Amino acid sequence: MLLVSVVVLAQNTEIRYNQVGCYPQQEKVIVVEGMNPTGKVRVTKPDGKTIKSKVQVRKALSPWSGKTRYVVDLGELTVTGNYHINVGDATCNLIVTESPFHDISKASLRLFYLIRSGVAIEDEVYGRPVGHPDTKVLVHNSAASQLRPAGTVISSPYGWYDAGDYNKYVVNSAFSIGLMFSAYEAQPNYFANLHTDIPEKGNNTPDLLDEMMFNLRWLLTMQDPSDGGVYHKLTTPRFEGFIMPTECRQPRYVVAKSVTATLDFAAVMADAARIFEPFQDDYPGFSAIAAGASERAYQWAKEHPKAFYRQDQLKDPAVSTGGYGDGNASDEFFWAASALYRMTGKQQYLDDARQYQPQRFTTPSWGNVASLGAFEWLAFGDSPLRDTILSQLTTYCDEVIKSVDNSCFQSPFGNKRNDFGWGCLAEHCCCQGLVLLFADKMLGTNKYSRYALQNADYLLGRNATGYCYVTGFGKKSPMHPHHRISASDKIEKPFPGMLVGGPNPGQQDKKELPTNYPSDFPDESYLDITQSYASNEIAINWNASLVAFLCWLDAECPNFSGH
Ligand SMILES: [Ca+2]
Ligand SMILES: [Ca+2]
C-alpha cells in the first residue's frame, strides 16, 4: 500500500492593503491571506474605540498560485485618521485622509527634476553636480545628411535620463510628455497650484509645464535642421556601468532618423505649441518654434513612411542600448495628424487622421500611441471624430471593469496573465486607471472612477507581493531599483517617487541575476534587486503614467471625499 503523506505548511496570516491612504468616501477593502477572516476582523477607530465592523468577506482563488484569499470590505470608515485593523496575528494601519495622493503625486512629478541631465541638481539629499552636458555629440553614420556628415559634432543638451540608464530616447520622451499633457489639459487649475520645488518655481508657468519644457528643449535639438527628420535617440554605443553621471566617459551619438520618433516629435510639439501659448512671458517665441518644427517633422514622416528604426543595422560603432523599435507607425500617424489638425485646422491632417483612425480604443503605451490621438479629439468640442471615439472608449472601459467582482484584489488590473509583463504597473495598471478617469470626465458620468481607485489600491500594496511599488512610500516599498544613480550615489534610499516595472513572468533578466525570482506566478514574479531590469527598473514613461494617474486622483479630491 502506498502511503502518501501530505505536509500542509502553516501559512502566515497576511493583510494586503493600500499602504498610502484612502479617501473618506472611498470603499475600504483589504485582502487577507492565510486564514478565513470571517468573524475575526477587529477595527480600532482613530478615537481608540474598537468596533465590530460590518465586514463582508468574499473568497477568491488565485488562477495561478491556487492560493485562497479573502477580500474583506470593511464597510464605511468615513472619519479621517488611522484605523488599526486586526485579523488573527496580522495587523495593518489603514490611513483615511482628505488627500491621500498629494505627497506621492508631488514626489512622482519631482522625480523628473531629479533625473534631469546636463544641469547640477539642487536637493538636500539627492543633489549632484552636472553630468552628461551633451554639448559635443557625434552624428552617427546612420544619421548623416549632406549638411551633417558622419562625425559632425552637434550640441544636444538637457532632457531627462530615460530610465535606469543615461541615454535619451525621442519616442519615449515624446510619449511621456504627451501622457502628462493630457492630464494637464484635463486638470489645469490643479496643476496651476502644484508646486514641486524646482528652479523654475518663481515664474508664472505651472511647474509641471516647466518640467516638460526641460525635455522639450532637448527634443528640439534632435531635429535635423536640414530636412525636418528627427533622430531616434541620443546614446552611448553600450550601456554605461553602474556609475554616477560625472564618471561616464563613453562618446555619445545621435543615430538614425525614424518615422516613429519623427511623428511622436511632431505630435508633442503641436501640443506644446498650444499649451505654452499662455506662458509666452516665461518662454518667449517657443510656441512658434514648436509649431514650425512640428509641421516640418510631419512632412518628413510623410516622405519616409517606412523609415523604421533598425538597431541591428547600425555599425561603426554598433549600438546595443534601448531600442524602442516599432514596426507599425499607423498609431503615430494618427496621434500626429490629430494633434496637427487641432493646432492648424488644416483639411490634410483631418484626412490623415481619418485614414489612420483605429478600430478600437487601446491602453496608451510608447509603442501604441493611438489613445493619445483619441484624447486630442475628445479634448475639444464639436470635433468630427468625437462620437466614434467616445463609443470605443465606453466599450474599452466596460470590458476593463467586468472582472472586478471575481478578482483576487478587487481591482480591474491583475486578473489576466497578460496584465503582467515588462512595465506592467505603468502600462497596464496606471494607464488603465487614467483611461477610466478620462472616460468619466468625457462622458460626464461617475461610473468608472471608483475602479480607477481600485487600481491605485493595487499599486500601493493590495496585491500579491504586498509591495507598495512606488519608492519612498508605504510600509514596504522597493529599495534597490534598477537605476544607475540610486545604485551608485552612496545614499541608502533610492530617489523617492519612482514607479518600478513590477511583476514580470517573462523574467528576461533571469540568467544574469545572482538569485532566483521568488516565484514564477505572473503576479508574484518580482524581485527587488538592482540587477533585475525586467521587474525592478524605472523609466520616464512609467513615471509619466504615475504622474498622470495619481495627480488626476489628487485633483479630483473634492469629488472623491464627498465635499
Ligand atoms: Ca513654475
Ligand atoms: Ca506604433
Side-chain angles (χ1 to χ4, degrees):
M1 196 170 116
L2 183 68
L3 279 175
V4 180
S5 68
V6 179
V7 181
V8 179
L9 292 172
Q11 201 185 347
N12 290 335
T13 304
E14 287 188 47
I15 304 175
R16 301 292 157 83
Y17 67 106
N18 173 340
Q19 297 160 25
V20 172
C22 311
Y23 283 114
Q25 304 300 331
Q26 186 184 341
E27 64 184 13
K28 310 293 182 312
V29 171
I30 59 170
V31 172
V32 175
E33 246 181 60
M35 70 175 283
N36 185 337
T38 306
K40 292 171 185 153
V41 179
R42 279 193 304 142
V43 178
T44 306
K45 293 196 298 182
D47 62 8
K49 286 185 186 140
T50 299
I51 51 168
K52 224 171 158 29
S53 195
K54 280 189 206 132
V55 302
Q56 283 187 348
V57 177
R58 170 171 72 79
K59 192 172 165 178
L61 199 67
S62 166
W64 304 299
S65 63
K67 283 179 190 165
T68 299
R69 299 190 176 101
Y70 298 87
V71 178
V72 181
D73 186 337
L74 296 168
E76 287 197 353
L77 305 175
T78 52
V79 177
T80 57
N82 286 354
Y83 289 82
H84 191 70
I85 316 289
N86 190 293
V87 186
D89 297 337
T91 62
C92 76
N93 271 315
L94 198 66
I95 303 160
V96 177
T97 157
E98 302 283 358
S99 54
F101 299 107
H102 195 60
D103 291 346
I104 194 170
S105 298
K106 273 172 76 162
S108 66
L109 175 55
R110 191 161 193 283
L111 184 270
F112 286 89
Y113 171 65
L114 296 178
I115 60 168
R116 286 185 185 187
S117 77
V119 286
I121 300 303
E122 294 162 29
D123 186 273
E124 248 174 63
V125 181
Y126 300 98
R128 59 183 160 82
V130 183
H132 296 103
D134 285 341
T135 47
K136 289 174 183 160
V137 175
L138 297 163
V139 175
H140 190 267
N141 57 61
S142 61
S145 61
Q146 212 173 4
L147 291 178
R148 286 185 170 182
T152 305
V153 176
I154 65 166
S155 182
S156 188
Y158 311 131
W160 309 310
Y161 294 125
D162 182 71
D165 65 323
Y166 291 131
N167 301 305
K168 303 190 290 196
Y169 307 90
V170 169
V171 164
N172 210 32
S173 273
F175 171 70
S176 299
I177 297 173
L179 204 55
M180 290 187 275
F181 271 169
S182 52
Y184 171 77
E185 291 207 281
Q187 307 285 352
N189 296 333
Y190 167 80
F191 283 107
N193 295 302
L194 186 71
H195 306 292
T196 50
D197 193 21
I198 54 175
E200 301 84 353
K201 63 186 168 191
N203 67 11
N204 291 317
T205 304
D207 287 356
L208 175 108
L209 295 186
D210 292 319
E211 197 56 63
M212 301 305 106
M213 182 58 82
F214 191 80
N215 207 37
L216 287 162
R217 278 197 293 171
W218 165 67
L219 275 174
L220 280 173
T221 70
M222 291 294 280
Q223 184 173 41
D224 184 342
S226 65
D227 63 6
V230 177
Y231 307 120
H232 194 69
K233 58 179 176 173
L234 189 162
T235 183
T236 49
R238 288 165 286 107
F239 284 124
E240 294 282 4
F242 276 72
I243 54 178
M244 289 296 279
T246 47
E247 296 164 351
C248 294
R249 298 286 177 266
Q250 281 194 58
R252 307 218 338 145
Y253 292 87
V254 290
V255 302
K257 294 163 198 163
S258 74
V259 62
T260 48
T262 302
L263 287 168
D264 286 338
F265 173 100
V268 87
M269 285 301 164
D271 285 345
R274 180 186 65 254
I275 290 170
F276 277 92
E277 188 81 42
F279 305 105
Q280 300 268 0
D281 286 352
D282 289 330
Y283 299 105
F286 173 79
S287 287
I289 291 169
S294 171
E295 289 215 84
R296 291 196 73 210
Y298 191 83
Q299 194 54 41
W300 186 93
K302 291 279 279 186
E303 289 159 10
H304 302 82
K306 299 280 178 216
F308 297 110
Y309 181 67
R310 290 285 305 275
Q311 185 145 289
D312 57 337
Q313 294 178 347
L314 266 51
K315 293 190 192 71
D316 305 321
V319 172
S320 60
T321 56
Y324 291 102
D326 175 2
N328 180 352
S330 301
D331 50 298
E332 284 81 7
F333 267 111
F334 179 63
W335 181 26
S338 304
L340 274 157
Y341 177 70
R342 196 172 163 195
M343 182 178 86
T344 65
K346 288 182 188 167
Q347 184 68 32
Q348 171 209 342
Y349 298 123
L350 176 58
D351 293 345
D352 284 5
R354 283 210 165 102
Q355 183 189 335
Y356 290 107
Q357 188 179 4
Q359 296 301 307
R360 60 189 184 90
F361 192 91
T362 47
T363 315
S365 74
W366 66 261
N368 187 345
V369 295
S371 48
L372 294 186
F375 288 167
E376 306 275 0
W377 295 103
L378 298 183
F380 65 104
D382 197 25
S383 89
L385 277 64
R386 188 181 174 87
D387 289 350
T388 320
I389 291 171
L390 272 184
S391 133
Q392 291 178 351
L393 181 61
T394 309
T395 307
Y396 169 96
C397 292
D398 288 339
E399 180 64 33
V400 158
I401 63 173
K402 239 173 36 185
S403 56
V404 171
D405 287 344
N406 297 313
S407 64
C408 281
F409 295 98
Q410 195 70 15
S411 58
F413 170 80
N415 304 313
K416 296 197 296 281
R417 181 172 284 271
N418 287 347
D419 282 355
F420 299 96
W422 211 318
C424 64
L425 294 174
E427 298 201 2
H428 297 159
C429 188
C430 289
C431 284
Q432 189 182 71
L434 179 69
V435 173
L436 292 168
L437 293 170
F438 202 89
D440 261 352
K441 183 159 181 96
M442 291 305 151
L443 294 161
T445 53
N446 191 12
K447 180 177 178 186
Y448 302 113
S449 299
R450 62 178 281 243
Y451 298 102
L453 281 164
Q454 294 172 343
N455 271 9
D457 287 336
Y458 189 101
L459 196 72
L460 303 177
R462 197 171 75 208
N463 58 55
T465 65
Y467 271 96
C468 168
Y469 288 112
V470 180
T471 56
F473 289 85
K475 205 166 171 230
K476 178 184 175 188
S477 64
M479 284 300 289
H480 311 285
H482 183 88
H483 176 234
R484 279 168 175 70
I485 302 178
S486 288
S488 56
D489 63 4
K490 301 192 170 67
I491 299 166
E492 188 192 359
K493 290 183 179 170
F495 285 5
M498 296 194 293
L499 172 65
V500 296
N504 176 4
Q507 300 181 359
Q508 293 85 344
D509 49 8
K510 195 175 183 172
K511 292 198 179 111
E512 300 156 61
L513 300 182
T515 176
N516 288 329
Y517 275 83
S519 165
D520 291 334
F521 301 127
D523 57 349
E524 297 181 40
S525 183
Y526 169 74
L527 193 52
D528 180 23
I529 62 171
T530 305
Q531 296 92 334
S532 182
Y533 56 82
S535 80
N536 210 29
E537 193 169 353
I538 67 110
I540 54 172
N541 58 321
W542 301 346
N543 249 76
S545 71
L546 187 72
V547 167
F549 180 40
L550 294 187
C551 284
W552 192 314
L553 288 174
D554 192 32
E556 293 279 349
C557 169
N559 303 336
F560 290 137
S561 57
H563 289 188

